[in-house]
């Protein structure tokens, strides 16, 4: 149904919105005739809560907080960029079949905005759980035109707050098991406290003058603020904005002048832009290298350490420390 051939034009953004709206209406109409609907179709105390989470970070968090009380369906898998993600028609059925939809908010899922509004308008609970973070703790770089930076999961202490938000949402939906959600959240938050301490210990291995993190886009501003790194992203906060020749040149000049030993690619962003910077830096006579691949907007594959939030953070920090501290980190 979604395929197209050379003699059939792909749908425009307007056409796709219309099709998704029609699909949403059809699915809702069908669900009203049978048992497959949202929370109103049964007592949640007697069954698992059906959770749809937009990002893989939120899906992992929902499983940690919900425990055996939830059945979690994550929309965006490994390597998926939430800035660019447009919901498919099949996603609409998944959203409408949920008891609750958890999304980051703060404009992260920008392409999903209309569908999320329509889902919520149909009486399905949809919660932007990262928006619990107070405005005094949010970053709003000038290049993002006054909007907040949505990548709050890069600061473990902020993600700890989001865990509490998820627990509150589940408890409001399923009050019979509110104590279980609160206990799960508290246990997970204690693990996040330990993780935050580990990160702070590890970054001390990078000399102060080398704590500059250069990546494809500005997904690491909260990481930089929390753990003492200057952050330079080629594409800015949203990957929807393409880097130009001037951006590549300016970043290459910065890397060469500061003699930054390594830059990093990201699993959900094309490597081409950072490779262009690498070539431009080397043309200036400085031998920068790619220090490794970081997870920014999505976790790794399910079943791997990087497929969990904790494992992703540990991978990123170990990669950053090794790339910037060099032999000092590898030998310690």
């Amino acid at each position: 149904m979604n395929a197209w051939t050379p003699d059939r034009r792909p749908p425009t953004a307007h056409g796709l919105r219309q099709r998704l709206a029609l699909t949403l209406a059809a699915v809702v109409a069908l669900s009203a005739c049978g048992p497959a609907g949202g929370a109103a179709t049964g007592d949640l105390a007697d069954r698992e809560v059906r959770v749809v989470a937009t990002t893989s970070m939120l899906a992992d968090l929902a499983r940690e907080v919900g425990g055996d009380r939830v059945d979690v369906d994550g929309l965006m898998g490994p390597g998926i960029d939430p800035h660019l993600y447009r919901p498919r028609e099949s996603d609409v059925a998944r959203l409408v079949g949920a008891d609750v939809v958890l999304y980051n908010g703060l404009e992260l899922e920008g392409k999903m905005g209309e569908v999320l509004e329509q889902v919520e308008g149909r009486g399905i609970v949809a919660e932007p759980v990262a928006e619990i973070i107070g405005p005094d703790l949010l970053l709003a770089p000038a290049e993002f035109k006054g909007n907040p930076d949505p990548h709050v999961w890069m600061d473990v202490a902020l993600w700890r707050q989001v865990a509490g938000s998820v627990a509150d949402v589940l408890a409001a939906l399923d009050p019979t098991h509110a104590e279980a959600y609160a206990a799960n959240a508290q246990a997970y938050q204690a693990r996040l406290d330990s993780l935050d301490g580990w990160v702070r210990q590890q970054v001390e291995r990078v000399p102060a003058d080398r704590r500059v993190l250069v990546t494809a886009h500005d997904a690491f501003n909260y990481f930089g603020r929390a753990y003492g790194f200057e952050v330079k992203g080629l594409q800015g906060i949203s990957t929807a904005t393409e880097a130009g020749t001037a951006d590549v040149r300016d970043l290459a000049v910065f890397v060469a002048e500061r003699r930054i030993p390594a830059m990093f690619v990201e699993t959900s962003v094309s490597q081409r832009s950072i490779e262009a910077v690498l070539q431009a830096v080397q043309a200036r006579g400085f031998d920068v290298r790619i220090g490794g691949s970081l997870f920014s907007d999505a976790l790794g594959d399910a079943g791997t350490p990087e497929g969990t939030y904790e494992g992703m953070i540990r991978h990123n920090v170990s990669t950053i420390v090794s790339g910037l501290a060099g032999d000092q980190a590898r030998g310690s």
Side-chain angles (χ1 to χ4, degrees):
M1 184 174 181
N2 293 323
W4 65 282
T5 56
D7 60 338
R8 182 180 169 198
R9 294 182 181 179
T12 63
H14 176 68
L16 181 59
R17 287 196 298 270
Q18 286 185 319
R19 286 167 54 182
L20 288 173
L22 290 172
T23 302
L24 178 62
V27 171
V28 171
L30 287 172
S31 67
C33 302
T41 63
D43 184 1
L44 289 178
D46 298 327
R47 64 170 176 83
E48 292 179 331
V49 179
R50 293 189 293 264
V51 178
V52 171
T54 54
T55 68
S56 51
M57 290 78 68
L58 280 175
D60 177 70
L61 182 53
R63 294 185 184 102
E64 292 287 351
V65 174
D68 60 8
R69 287 291 310 137
V70 297
D71 177 18
V72 180
D73 183 8
L75 285 185
M76 305 178 197
I80 299 299
D81 184 346
H83 300 283
L84 304 178
Y85 187 81
R86 289 186 181 276
R88 300 162 296 183
E89 292 177 36
S90 60
D91 292 337
V92 175
R94 297 160 71 186
L95 290 164
V96 171
D99 296 311
V100 59
V101 177
L102 301 178
Y103 65 104
N104 190 84
L106 303 175
E107 304 297 330
L108 178 71
E109 302 96 341
K111 305 291 185 182
M112 290 189 65
E114 290 186 26
V115 170
L116 288 170
E117 287 178 8
Q118 292 177 41
V119 165
E120 194 167 17
R122 301 286 180 171
I124 297 164
V125 177
E127 290 289 341
V129 289
E131 293 185 4
I132 192 176
I133 297 170
D136 56 321
L137 294 177
L138 293 174
L139 295 171
E143 62 270 21
F144 209 43
K145 300 179 181 179
N147 292 317
D149 183 340
H151 303 90
V152 294
W153 58 88
M154 288 302 176
D155 178 345
V156 178
L158 292 184
W159 201 237
R160 186 186 191 282
Q161 292 189 38
V162 180
S165 178
V166 170
D168 290 343
V169 171
L170 293 176
L173 195 68
D174 178 23
T176 301
H177 298 93
E179 291 185 5
Y181 298 131
N184 290 344
Q186 289 170 7
Y188 187 58
Q189 287 171 327
R191 282 160 48 193
L192 294 183
D193 289 339
S194 296
L195 179 62
D196 184 65
W198 178 84
V199 175
R200 294 181 186 283
Q201 182 183 53
Q202 293 300 306
V203 300
E204 287 298 320
R205 297 158 65 183
V206 181
D209 62 343
R210 289 191 178 191
R211 292 180 194 171
V212 183
L213 183 58
V214 178
T215 59
H217 85 296
D218 276 345
F220 294 87
N221 286 313
Y222 289 104
F223 177 90
R225 182 182 68 180
Y227 306 114
F229 282 74
E230 183 178 356
V231 175
K232 290 287 184 180
L234 180 59
Q235 288 180 251
I237 291 173
S238 173
T239 55
T241 303
E242 299 252 346
T245 303
D247 300 312
V248 171
R249 182 191 64 241
D250 292 345
L251 187 55
V253 170
F254 174 84
V255 170
E257 289 181 349
R258 293 285 296 271
R259 304 188 66 80
I260 298 166
M263 302 183 298
F264 300 88
V265 296
E266 300 172 43
T267 61
S268 56
V269 181
S270 172
Q271 297 186 18
R272 291 195 301 269
S273 58
I274 286 296
E275 288 170 351
V277 177
L278 179 75
Q279 294 173 4
V281 174
Q282 291 177 340
R284 292 178 172 275
F286 180 66
D287 190 23
V288 68
R289 66 182 183 278
I290 300 295
S293 183
L294 304 179
F295 294 91
S296 55
D297 290 334
L299 302 182
D301 293 328
T304 67
E306 296 80 14
T308 69
Y309 174 77
E310 292 170 278
M312 178 271 286
I313 291 292
R314 289 182 183 276
H315 166 88
N316 281 356
V317 171
S318 296
T319 301
I320 292 167
V321 170
S322 179
L324 295 179
D327 292 338
Q328 292 185 29
R330 287 190 291 271
S332 57

